[in-house]
Amino acid sequence: MAVSVEYVTRETATNLWRNRLMTVAAVLTVAVSLSLVGVSLLLRQGVAQATTQWQNGVNVLVFLDAQPAAPAAPTAQQLTIQQQLLQLPYVKSCIYRDQAYDLAEAKRLLDPSAASVLTAGTTPASWRCVLSQPSEAQAVAKQFNRFPGVAQVQYPQKQIRTMETVVHVLDAVFLVLAVILLLSAAVLILNTIRLAIFARRREVSVMKLVGATNWFIRIPFMFEGIVQGLAGALVAVLVTVLLHVVLDHFAGHNATSLLYRMRTPAGDVAVTAVLVGMIGVVIGAAGSAIGIRRFLDA
Amino acid sequence: MPAVRAGSSPFRADTTMIRFENVTKTYKAGTVALNDVSVDIDKGEFVFLVGPSGSGKTTFMRLLLREEAPDQGRIWVAGREIAHLSPWRIPYLRRNIGCVFQDFRLLPTRTVFENVAFALEVIGRPRHVIDGQVPQVLDLVGLANKRDNLPGELSGGEQQRVAVARAFVNRPLLLIADEPTGNLDPATSQGIMRLLDRINRTGTTVVIATHDAGIVDQMRRRVIELHRGELVRDQARGVYGYGT
């Protein structure tokens, strides 16, 4: 049985307009909660971006002099450096990353213009070491910085560690807030739909009497919920993208600033936007489906 | 001489519109609404269902529309057994049954035309069908000149005519009416009855639950009487009460 587009559009618009105050409340709640979800997702991506180098508990990066041939295995000199590193009591283990790997990572982390001048022959290979006492990272750096064959030693700056902790806490707080707000958004949508159906219960009973199918009755109301969820999600996407643009602007081109390290590629932001939109639709559909159920039983 | 017919004759799908076979319906509080009722109604018949309040007339109607399912027994409507109909088929059953109620059940914010068109719209009939059929049926009930009025602007009799038009616009096989004249004065009631009679002559089976004795006595059609959920009389060309 065909449900005409014209019918659904007309009924959905009528319902939204009749309950405009509740509709605005539902849309705003969805918008606020999904903005939080969006920002927290963005934050996560930024932190992931800034800390790529420090994955797997790596505390110290010992960059080695670049070899033009870009060998896949450590040279004799480089193996000596490893031995020296492991002799330190607080160095637990060291893994080798060849020049090709480091080039790939640099391309991910650096500005495209800066990365374009790099080649495998000019990018240093590295030892990535895990310490039993991360606080000794500075000592390792001091000792090995002028070691023959070593180009540079890097260890995570204090600000990255602090940021990680702060972001962790923020993330948890945002998540809890977002879940609570999303739930209340669903309940608000459910309530709007229920009001809409209650206002039209005569029509619904006549529809059932003359043989309208449950889906025919349900679809305009479900659309109403989905429109509310989607409208809220659109606002949230706008907020998220705007925040991204503003932060990007502040990050400028200072490669050492924290914001610069956290810059997220536009593609990731788009994924976040789509995700936020989908959550909006699901919340709207679920809220309205539950709201209708009671009226269609029996 | 009341001739009591039991629903025991062989079932013939081509001539039988409604068959109740040992139907029992009890409500939660233990009230027996219908007790072992068996009855056949043929296609094209015009039947009055009479009895005092609480005799089971309304339950009979609700079972036909499948707003309720019987506790025991089986019910056929237009050749289909409906006591065990799966829920998603119920709307399609109702498309074959037009119904009219004492309280009209019109939508107050829609015009006469829109009220009748609504019945076709919600079962997915295309616009051109609606625009063709609605004026036709409004003509039949004598309200062609009121098509743009709201129900509140009409008299009770006129409102019931709109309800009849809505019930009949889809050309159902069966039209059922629960106390259709309950809110109307005798003269208006007669008008509604004449209308239902005309609809019956187009071949539609008509079942009317009523306790309007005047109407029943005047029409002299088949009368089925229920009393406390039991079928106590089934009489061709009957009257409302016993022995009158």
Side-chain angles (χ1 to χ4, degrees):
Chain A
M1 185 206 63
V3 180
S4 82
V5 178
E6 182 219 330
Y7 173 82
V8 174
T9 321
R10 174 162 40 89
E11 295 301 302
T12 304
T14 312
N15 281 345
L16 286 170
W17 180 245
R18 276 193 198 169
N19 285 315
R20 48 197 176 274
L21 218 63
M22 279 297 285
T23 299
V24 168
V27 168
L28 284 182
T29 318
V30 175
V32 171
S33 53
L34 283 181
S35 296
L36 278 177
V37 171
V39 169
S40 109
L41 283 174
L42 213 58
L43 210 63
R44 273 179 192 220
Q45 284 164 355
V47 173
Q49 201 70 27
T51 57
T52 317
Q53 289 175 302
W54 314 110
Q55 275 163 0
N56 306 321
V58 168
N59 304 111
V60 178
L61 292 176
V62 181
F63 285 107
L64 307 161
D65 285 341
Q67 310 289 319
T75 62
Q77 187 192 34
Q78 289 170 349
L79 283 171
T80 320
I81 296 170
Q82 186 196 22
Q83 279 171 14
Q84 301 275 343
L85 278 165
L86 288 175
Q87 269 170 20
L88 294 174
Y90 42 79
V91 175
K92 236 174 24 194
S93 63
C94 289
I95 42 165
Y96 182 72
R97 292 294 189 204
D98 64 19
Q99 298 185 199
Y101 181 96
D102 279 357
L103 175 68
E105 192 179 76
K107 278 189 172 158
R108 249 185 307 136
L109 292 173
L110 293 178
D111 210 40
S113 57
S116 64
V117 299
L118 289 174
T119 63
T122 57
T123 311
S126 56
W127 287 110
R128 301 186 173 212
C129 300
V130 180
L131 308 187
S132 50
Q133 291 162 288
S135 52
E136 300 295 339
Q138 210 184 347
V140 179
K142 227 178 214 167
Q143 198 177 337
F144 281 86
N145 240 339
R146 293 198 183 72
F147 213 78
V150 171
Q152 197 196 9
V153 177
Q154 276 191 9
Y155 57 95
Q157 289 138 342
K158 212 173 162 196
Q159 45 175 347
I160 286 187
R161 292 285 175 223
T162 325
M163 181 185 76
E164 268 191 312
T165 334
V166 170
V167 165
H168 233 76
V169 172
L170 269 184
D171 216 41
V173 171
F174 277 20
L175 198 74
V176 169
L177 272 180
V179 166
I180 293 173
L181 280 168
L182 277 177
L183 278 180
S184 52
V187 171
L188 266 176
I189 288 177
L190 187 154
N191 203 28
T192 336
I193 302 296
R194 224 169 240 184
L195 274 179
I197 302 182
F198 191 74
R200 311 184 65 174
R201 61 196 181 285
R202 281 177 85 103
E203 268 164 83
V204 170
S205 76
V206 171
M207 284 164 106
K208 290 174 77 165
L209 215 59
V210 299
T213 56
N214 278 354
W215 273 108
F216 188 92
I217 301 171
R218 199 178 283 149
I219 282 176
F221 293 110
M222 285 199 72
F223 250 76
E224 190 187 339
I226 290 173
V227 166
Q228 290 174 5
L230 205 59
L234 279 181
V235 175
V237 165
L238 244 110
V239 168
T240 312
V241 170
L242 213 69
L243 196 75
H244 169 74
V245 171
V246 167
L247 286 181
D248 230 31
H249 177 75
F250 275 115
H253 291 287
N254 181 2
T256 56
S257 90
L258 194 59
L259 277 178
Y260 185 84
R261 282 162 172 271
M262 282 180 71
R263 283 167 325 131
T264 313
D268 287 6
V269 178
V271 170
T272 305
V274 170
L275 204 68
V276 164
M278 273 173 9
I279 297 175
V281 170
V282 168
I283 288 288
S288 52
I290 298 168
I292 300 162
R293 214 178 41 185
R294 183 202 292 180
F295 289 89
L296 290 186
D297 290 347
Chain B
M1 249 305 272
V4 176
R5 298 196 225 174
S8 51
S9 56
F11 178 67
R12 297 194 312 279
D14 53 333
T15 59
T16 306
M17 176 54 71
I18 299 169
R19 159 172 284 201
F20 273 49
E21 195 177 276
N22 309 107
V23 172
T24 295
K25 175 73 188 174
T26 311
Y27 289 111
K28 279 199 186 92
T31 332
V32 178
L34 285 180
N35 187 16
D36 197 26
V37 169
S38 294
V39 68
D40 275 4
I41 295 172
D42 283 343
K43 285 184 181 164
E45 271 198 279
F46 190 108
V47 180
F48 284 112
L49 195 62
V50 303
S53 300
S55 59
K57 299 192 301 285
T58 298
T59 301
F60 190 96
M61 298 300 204
R62 289 176 65 84
L63 287 170
L64 281 179
L65 284 170
R66 196 49 169 73
E67 289 185 306
E68 314 257 9
D71 299 327
Q72 279 166 41
R74 292 191 288 176
I75 300 170
W76 281 269
V77 173
R80 164 161 273 161
E81 209 281 313
I82 64 161
H84 304 99
L85 206 60
S86 58
W88 70 269
R89 283 178 190 272
I90 294 174
Y92 300 95
L93 164 74
R94 291 182 186 160
R95 288 177 194 192
N96 291 321
I97 306 175
C99 39
V100 175
F101 298 91
Q102 183 172 4
D103 57 359
F104 319 139
R105 303 210 185 162
L106 299 175
L107 302 173
T109 57
R110 295 182 192 237
T111 65
V112 167
F113 183 93
E114 286 166 349
N115 262 285
V116 178
F118 189 68
L120 293 176
E121 201 177 6
V122 301
I123 60 173
R125 292 285 181 276
R127 199 75 237 171
H128 66 91
V129 172
I130 295 174
D131 288 340
Q133 285 189 8
V134 177
Q136 230 176 19
V137 80
L138 286 179
D139 237 13
L140 176 80
V141 302
L143 287 175
N145 56 337
K146 304 256 173 150
R147 52 173 283 166
D148 295 322
N149 286 86
L150 292 173
E153 299 162 355
L154 304 179
S155 71
E158 287 169 331
Q159 289 188 45
Q160 193 61 299
R161 283 168 184 273
V162 178
V164 172
R166 182 180 64 194
F168 188 60
V169 69
N170 193 31
R171 303 296 147 123
L173 303 167
L174 171 64
L175 193 141
I176 65 178
D178 193 0
E179 304 283 2
T181 60
N183 281 342
L184 305 176
D185 61 69
T188 315
S189 301
Q190 277 191 13
I192 294 292
M193 282 302 153
R194 272 201 297 276
L195 178 59
L196 293 175
D197 187 44
R198 264 178 79 185
I199 284 174
N200 174 241
R201 281 181 212 181
T202 66
T204 302
T205 311
V206 175
V207 178
I208 301 169
T210 185
H211 43 229
D212 187 337
I215 293 285
V216 178
D217 291 348
Q218 195 180 18
M219 302 274 293
R220 285 283 177 158
R221 297 301 190 101
R222 180 176 170 193
V223 173
I224 296 170
E225 182 173 349
L226 293 171
H227 189 75
R228 292 189 183 166
E230 312 235 0
L231 196 153
V232 294
R233 178 167 61 122
D234 186 347
Q235 184 180 21
R237 278 206 276 278
V239 289
Y240 188 81
Y242 269 118
T244 44

